[in-house]
Amino acid sequence: AAQKGAKVFLAAPRPYLGEDICGTYRLWLEPGEDPATPLARVLFGDSASPLQPITPMQVKRALDKVLLDAGVQFLYASFVTEIVRDANGKPAGVVIANKSGRQAVLGRVIIDATDRANVARMVGAEFSEYTAGAQSFTRIVVGGEPRSGEGVSVASREPALTIQAPAVPDARREAGPVRVIEYRLSIPMRDHSYAAFVQAEQIARDLTWTKDALDGSELLFQVPPDALRSREPHRDAWSSAEKIPLGALQSDKAPGVYVLGGCADVSREAAARLTRPVNLMALAVRVGNAAAELAKTSPPPVDARVPGAKPTQAVSGEVREVDAAFSARKYERFVPEEARTLSVLGEYDVVVVGGGTGGAPAGIAAGRQGAKTLMIEYQAGFGGVGTLGYIAIYYHANLVGFTAEVINGLAEISPRENRPASRQWNPDHKSEWWRRELRKAGVEIWTGALGCGAVVENGRVKGVVVVTPQGRGVVLAKTVVDSTGNSDIAAAAGATCRYTDGSEIAVQGTGLPPHNLGQRYLNTDWTYVDETDITDIWRAFVMAKEKFKTAYDLGTFIDTRERRQIIGDFTLSPMDQWLGRTFPDTVVITKSDLDSHGYTIHPLYTLRAPDHHELTVNVPFRCLIPRGLDRILVTGLSVSAHRDALPFIRMQGDVQNQGYAVGLAAAMIAKRNCPTRELDIKALQRLLIEKGNLPESVLTEQDSPPLPKERVEEAVHRMLVHYDQLEVVLESWDIAQPLVHKAFATTSSSSERLIYGQVLAIMGDATGAAELAQAVAAKKEWDDGWRYRGMGQYGPSVSPLDGLIIALGRSKSPLGLKPILEKAALLTPASEMSHFRAIALALEALGDPAAAKPLANLLRLPGVSGHAVTNIQIALKAENNPPDGTENGVRDKVLPEIHLARALYRCGDHEGIAEKILRAYASDLHAHYARHAQAILKEKTKP
């Protein structure tokens, strides 16, 4: 269509293109099939050998490339939810839903290439009946021995389908051909609802999973038994895609909608041939050409709107979604939506949104308590970062209680591949363990579905807005567990959240791994991804397929380590952690070091560098409750904690225990039908003690009292040695500040005065500014700084001189300007990132216009500016996307530019240099950069 001159937008439901090939694992040509179209030849080659599978990466990369080359805009992970109509009621586009909320896409023609013709059904097209009863499905499994059973058969092929698998020493597997098993399954279907299809998916996995499998299809394949009632039915036997009339793809009720798939109005035997990839591509060429021609002769939509809908079931409450104003992408046009009521898809005691490290345990715990529980998970499997993200190891964690059960359960599946002593596991085994335990606990599972809103009444969350391939609806619940890891549901419900703003651009590094057959542990960190922004998600997947283009496949899970967090009833601070603070409502006790994956920003770590020291941290229930909301709890990375406190509490084993505790709490709240804050915490703790998650001592622990003055006085003196006990000083600053003043005034030691002055300055007190200024001026050259490092970052991310400069700036003393500018003049393009950051932080804190020109001069240094990624072509350049899963250099270039531009803007700008740079970053595909730049640009420029 694009090649014929049409402006085209494509929305795909999975985190990749080609779900009908890759998702169902139909990666080969059958005998006699000819890759006749240009796209088919790109995928399968000019003379592909039948029954020799290509790799998923070949398909996914090729489809990305042909769309990009044709200028087609496309997004992954986006579902159609409603139809946009014009003034005459004709389809004029669609509404899509994704991690960024809902967006309208206007169009004159719609091509519905979904496997179930879901968009055509929304338009109102009629279909033949989907008969209840046993239905035939296909599922592919790679590796292992085939299983048998009632309703299970294996396709017999000669020669057998095989895939070359590499050697995997960790699993003691040698390289060689692996069998591809094509199961034919007979599964009872009550109807064609989404719930029925996901139930069929679970039955299929029950029937086909083996511990020796290396891979398998994410989606079941079925030739649809129900067909469109079209303008031109075609009942002839199959001959070719060229013989199918396009009228068989169109309904009289919506001639501008083409059904491109197995629901076309052809015989079911012909549909089976049509759904083979090469045949579908051949028909797609004709449909694309016809759609482009139809679009040329169709008038543009007039008065486009989303029509209203009357209620089928009256439920009080307000449907809330993420506000478009929150988006990193700024929309200039909007489509009105008339009043409408969403269908109620079900009612449950507990609904868990997200089946990852925290969500799967929450669902299991709630189900085991007898709560009627629904698990909503977008991915095809469970376990998140530790399974689909391939970080298949407990780096740190308090491996007790429920997590100990997980470890033992995996060892029972396969002791060789899930070794408790090494803290490692087989990702596929763990995903299956989660799935089995959810099923055993009676939890209903909806995979391939997205939670994207909440139903709220008077601050009480009453349910979740859910998007499936069949549209949008509401699931009601007595308690909602937000395990998205991104506080998606809580934020939609109205929770106040912490996220990237104009203050700092520090974010823990993000990974997205390749996938090779037999792969176990693979930890990556090469970018930042804002998982509230669908464009950023798209950018990461496109880049990753090029970065890892030689891999067998690409993972479907983005390994973000820092996401949007709620502001809870309590916010955990670094001082709480170092002081070992206790709480009456502790629900999880974690163990970790500060695995920062980047740089820290808290004053504690600016003065005293973190190291490999492991802390045991109590996490109170109050951190899991969004302030101002009732009947909703969060897990994982969303909890209420300072960003520099997060690494101590985000380890997988600890998040598993946290999720288990939340699941118990949710079930207890639902059973009593009580407000969240009236939960019997001691009863919850006793259950956790019984499980082994907590020690009995938590039952008598209280909030740690304020530190006595004597302890603070001692800490003021002890911090002279490597800033020991600095956490005590910062935690009790109201007591400590006058004591530090006194110590500063009474000591004759210049080194002690410098330390006291630096502590005062970092807290905004200029008492010791003269000592700091003198110390900075005395340094005639820079010390060794810190270059950006994500993976394996421990220790300082500022040098000693950086720390002095940052503190001097925060003192806001005019004495700081001259020595700081002197150090700025010594910077070169080869200087470390931490030095640029220190200068920027200090000068923007001072805010003196005299700093503007020197900052502009730094931005003019060769290679310091010009790193914004405003389109995908820039992102894919080799210098921006090297083939390295733990690459640091790109971020090391970007961060100095952003810090300097921000400081320059706040110091009054010079020749508009900062504004130009910030406006470029405001459109950056990296949404964290875009958010940061946009927030700064909203500030009033100083004269």
Side-chain angles (χ1 to χ4, degrees):
Q3 289 169 351
K4 289 292 183 180
K7 183 180 179 182
V8 180
F9 177 87
L10 183 147
R14 305 299 306 145
Y16 54 84
L17 303 177
E19 66 271 9
D20 66 316
I21 300 176
C22 300
T24 62
Y25 228 101
R26 298 183 304 145
L27 295 162
W28 61 87
L29 296 178
E30 296 285 3
E33 290 186 337
D34 177 27
T37 64
L39 179 56
R41 287 193 292 272
V42 168
L43 296 186
F44 294 100
D46 291 322
S47 57
S49 301
L51 304 181
Q52 290 301 311
I54 58 178
T55 71
M57 185 68 93
Q58 287 177 260
V59 177
K60 295 173 182 180
R61 281 191 70 235
L63 294 179
D64 278 6
K65 186 176 187 305
V66 296
L67 288 180
L68 291 171
D69 289 347
V72 174
Q73 183 181 354
F74 62 99
L75 288 177
Y76 313 115
S78 298
F79 298 89
V80 174
T81 60
E82 289 93 12
I83 303 298
V84 179
R85 296 185 183 270
D86 65 14
N88 298 316
K90 294 181 179 179
V94 297
V95 177
I96 59 172
N98 47 48
K99 284 282 199 174
S100 293
R102 284 191 300 151
Q103 307 91 41
V105 183
L106 302 184
R108 304 181 189 192
V109 180
I110 300 171
I111 299 174
D112 180 357
T114 61
D115 62 340
R116 296 280 307 140
N118 292 313
V119 180
R121 295 173 195 269
M122 293 178 193
V123 170
E126 295 181 353
F127 289 76
S128 61
E129 183 180 0
Y130 189 102
T131 306
Q135 296 282 353
S136 296
F137 294 88
T138 300
R139 183 166 195 266
I140 309 298
V141 174
V142 179
E145 293 299 317
R147 291 181 57 184
S148 60
E150 185 177 353
V152 179
S153 62
V154 176
S156 178
R157 294 179 180 274
E158 188 60 43
L161 281 167
T162 60
I163 290 176
Q164 286 295 124
V168 184
D170 190 47
R172 302 178 187 175
R173 181 178 292 110
E174 296 181 355
V178 179
R179 181 176 179 180
V180 178
I181 305 167
E182 185 178 5
Y183 286 101
R184 306 289 171 79
L185 306 171
S186 178
I187 298 176
M189 295 288 290
R190 64 179 183 270
D191 52 33
H192 65 280
S193 66
Y194 185 72
F197 277 102
V198 291
Q199 173 67 10
E201 178 71 46
Q202 297 309 310
I203 293 172
R205 290 174 182 257
D206 290 342
L207 296 172
T208 60
W209 190 86
T210 68
K211 69 181 180 66
D212 295 317
L214 298 181
D215 207 355
S217 55
E218 289 189 351
L219 309 169
L220 288 178
F221 172 74
Q222 180 185 39
V223 178
D226 48 341
L228 175 73
R229 299 193 188 279
S230 73
R231 302 168 64 184
E232 191 176 354
H234 184 68
R235 298 289 179 262
D236 295 348
W238 173 264
S239 57
S240 72
E242 295 297 323
K243 299 298 184 182
I244 296 176
L246 296 187
L249 315 182
Q250 296 174 290
S251 165
D252 284 329
K253 294 191 174 183
V257 178
Y258 291 89
V259 172
L260 180 56
C263 287
D265 196 358
V266 299
S267 70
R268 293 303 84 195
E269 293 76 17
R273 298 290 297 276
L274 174 60
T275 52
R276 289 294 305 157
V278 290
N279 297 328
L280 202 53
M281 281 185 263
L283 180 60
V285 172
R286 296 176 56 211
V287 171
N289 290 336
E293 291 301 318
L294 180 57
K296 290 178 183 177
T297 60
S298 300
V302 176
D303 193 25
R305 62 184 59 246
V306 181
K310 295 182 179 180
T312 55
Q313 179 180 350
V315 177
S316 60
E318 175 189 358
V319 171
R320 294 184 181 176
E321 302 171 280
V322 174
D323 192 334
F326 179 82
S327 175
R329 311 299 156 192
K330 298 309 168 189
Y331 302 102
E332 297 179 356
R333 299 175 61 196
F334 294 85
V335 170
E337 181 178 32
E338 297 172 353
R340 60 189 298 111
T341 300
L342 299 178
S343 298
V344 174
L345 305 178
E347 297 186 45
Y348 299 83
D349 296 324
V350 176
V351 172
V352 181
V353 185
T357 315
I364 291 167
R368 288 178 179 177
Q369 289 296 304
K372 182 183 179 183
T373 304
L374 173 66
M375 168 62 68
I376 298 169
E377 168 55 50
Y378 167 69
Q379 299 281 353
F382 299 99
V385 64
T387 57
L388 303 169
Y390 296 104
I391 305 180
I393 189 171
Y394 294 120
Y395 169 61
H396 277 269
N398 190 13
L399 304 180
V400 298
F402 178 73
T403 287
E405 178 192 343
V406 177
I407 293 170
N408 294 332
L410 284 172
E412 290 177 5
I413 289 179
S414 177
R416 185 186 70 179
E417 295 191 53
N418 304 288
R419 300 182 295 283
S422 64
R423 299 184 169 202
Q424 293 182 321
W425 58 82
N426 179 314
D428 185 63
H429 290 181
K430 192 168 186 179
S431 181
E432 174 65 10
W433 191 88
W434 292 127
R435 192 188 73 84
R436 289 184 184 183
E437 292 303 313
L438 286 165
R439 298 269 280 166
K440 288 179 185 176
V443 175
E444 187 175 345
I445 294 171
W446 288 7
T447 50
L450 189 68
C452 63
V455 179
V456 184
E457 185 176 34
N458 298 325
R460 175 183 169 180
V461 178
K462 299 178 66 175
V464 177
V465 180
V466 182
V467 176
T468 76
Q470 295 183 354
R472 194 167 63 117
V474 167
V475 176
L476 300 177
K478 295 178 180 177
T479 316
V480 171
V481 177
D482 182 344
S483 289
T484 62
N486 205 42
S487 59
D488 288 338
I489 309 306
T496 302
C497 295
R498 184 199 70 79
Y499 211 42
T500 306
D501 54 20
S503 59
E504 259 283 14
I505 190 59
V507 181
Q508 291 187 57
T510 299
L512 175 55
H515 172 216
N516 291 298
L517 289 176
Q519 179 174 300
R520 296 293 180 267
Y521 171 80
L522 181 61
N523 200 348
T524 60
D525 179 341
W526 53 271
T527 188
Y528 296 140
V529 180
D530 172 1
E531 289 210 61
T532 71
D533 185 75
I534 194 64
T535 301
D536 200 2
I537 293 170
W538 169 80
R539 184 269 314 168
F541 277 110
V542 173
M543 290 180 70
K545 284 193 282 290
E546 186 63 25
K547 179 183 289 285
F548 305 118
K549 59 187 176 183
T550 60
Y552 179 78
D553 198 359
L554 181 69
T556 60
F557 187 89
I558 298 174
D559 290 321
T560 42
R561 297 173 175 87
E562 183 173 352
R563 304 183 190 174
R564 177 171 52 193
Q565 294 172 271
I566 63 164
I567 303 300
D569 287 359
F570 182 85
T571 298
L572 199 66
S573 75
M575 285 81 76
D576 294 328
Q577 296 174 329
W578 282 96
L579 291 169
R581 184 168 179 174
T582 60
F583 309 93
D585 57 336
T586 294
V587 291
V588 61
I589 298 176
T590 69
K591 289 184 179 180
S592 182
D593 60 13
L594 205 157
D595 185 21
S596 64
H597 279 268
Y599 58 94
T600 52
I601 64 173
H602 196 279
L604 177 67
Y605 299 128
T606 301
L607 298 177
R608 187 181 73 198
D611 55 22
H612 282 280
H613 188 86
E614 183 182 74
L615 292 183
T616 298
V617 176
N618 298 314
V619 181
F621 188 60
R622 287 166 287 172
C623 285
L624 317 179
I625 307 173
R627 186 185 298 170
L629 292 176
D630 187 25
R631 300 299 188 95
I632 182 169
L633 302 169
V634 301
T635 69
L637 300 180
S638 295
V639 302
S640 184
H642 187 279
R643 69 161 309 267
D644 285 347
L646 198 60
F648 283 112
I649 64 173
R650 66 164 174 78
M651 293 296 127
Q652 291 184 61
D654 295 327
V655 174
Q656 288 170 181
N657 280 339
Q658 177 206 91
Y660 184 83
V662 168
L664 290 179
M668 294 168 68
I669 292 166
K671 184 176 182 180
R672 284 191 54 200
N673 203 19
C674 68
T676 304
R677 292 161 181 83
E678 292 182 11
L679 171 69
D680 186 341
I681 290 293
K682 296 306 173 187
L684 171 62
Q685 289 175 326
R686 282 191 285 271
L687 288 176
L688 293 171
I689 292 167
E690 181 180 340
K691 185 65 180 175
N693 286 32
L694 296 176
E696 289 192 18
S697 58
V698 299
L699 293 174
T700 56
E701 289 176 344
Q702 299 298 318
D703 273 315
S704 295
L707 296 171
K709 184 177 180 181
E710 294 76 13
R711 173 84 186 276
V712 180
E713 286 179 329
E714 179 188 4
V716 167
H717 294 292
R718 288 182 60 179
M719 72 179 185
L720 291 173
V721 181
H722 305 301
Y723 292 99
D724 185 32
Q725 296 296 301
L726 179 61
E727 64 273 15
V728 174
V729 173
L730 298 185
E731 173 67 16
S732 305
W733 185 242
D734 56 336
I735 299 173
Q737 186 175 12
L739 296 175
V740 178
H741 270 290
K742 181 179 178 181
F744 175 84
T746 56
T747 183
S748 59
S749 168
S750 58
S751 61
E752 291 182 359
R753 286 174 65 83
L754 184 61
I755 291 173
Y756 287 133
Q758 188 175 12
V759 173
L760 288 165
I762 205 78
M763 299 300 288
D765 186 325
T767 299
E771 279 72 11
L772 287 175
Q774 183 179 0
V776 171
K779 303 289 185 181
K780 300 307 179 184
E781 59 183 27
W782 281 98
D783 54 5
D784 290 335
W786 179 81
R787 297 197 183 279
Y788 182 85
R789 179 182 175 91
M791 185 73 73
Q793 165 54 25
Y794 297 95
S797 53
V798 293
S799 72
L801 181 52
D802 292 332
L804 290 172
I805 289 172
I806 292 170
L808 182 55
R810 291 189 63 164
S811 75
K812 298 189 179 300
S813 169
L815 296 175
L817 183 63
K818 183 175 182 294
I820 293 173
L821 290 180
E822 288 174 350
K823 294 300 163 293
L826 297 177
L827 291 174
T828 72
S831 295
E832 291 93 335
M833 176 263 176
S834 69
H835 295 337
F836 284 108
R837 176 173 175 260
I839 290 293
L841 289 176
L843 291 179
E844 73 177 358
L846 291 176
D848 193 319
K853 188 173 181 179
L855 284 166
N857 290 337
L858 291 176
L859 285 163
R860 289 190 178 110
L861 290 174
V864 172
S865 297
H867 304 300
V869 174
T870 53
N871 61 58
I872 197 64
Q873 287 73 30
I874 297 173
L876 292 174
K877 287 183 176 180
E879 62 267 28
N880 291 327
N881 194 36
D884 183 351
T886 57
E887 193 277 328
N888 297 307
V890 175
R891 288 169 288 184
D892 194 58
K893 291 187 302 182
V894 168
L895 291 168
E897 181 182 11
I898 292 180
H899 278 95
L900 291 171
R902 183 183 72 204
L904 174 56
Y905 192 77
R906 289 172 173 168
C907 289
D909 210 346
H910 177 74
E911 298 180 353
I913 292 173
E915 182 173 354
K916 182 179 178 181
I917 291 172
L918 291 171
R919 291 205 179 280
Y921 277 106
S923 299
D924 199 293
L925 297 184
H926 299 76
H928 283 294
Y929 300 157
R931 277 184 197 287
H932 188 58
Q934 290 165 13
I936 298 163
L937 288 167
K938 288 180 181 179
E939 301 170 1
K940 183 178 180 181
T941 307
K942 295 181 179 180

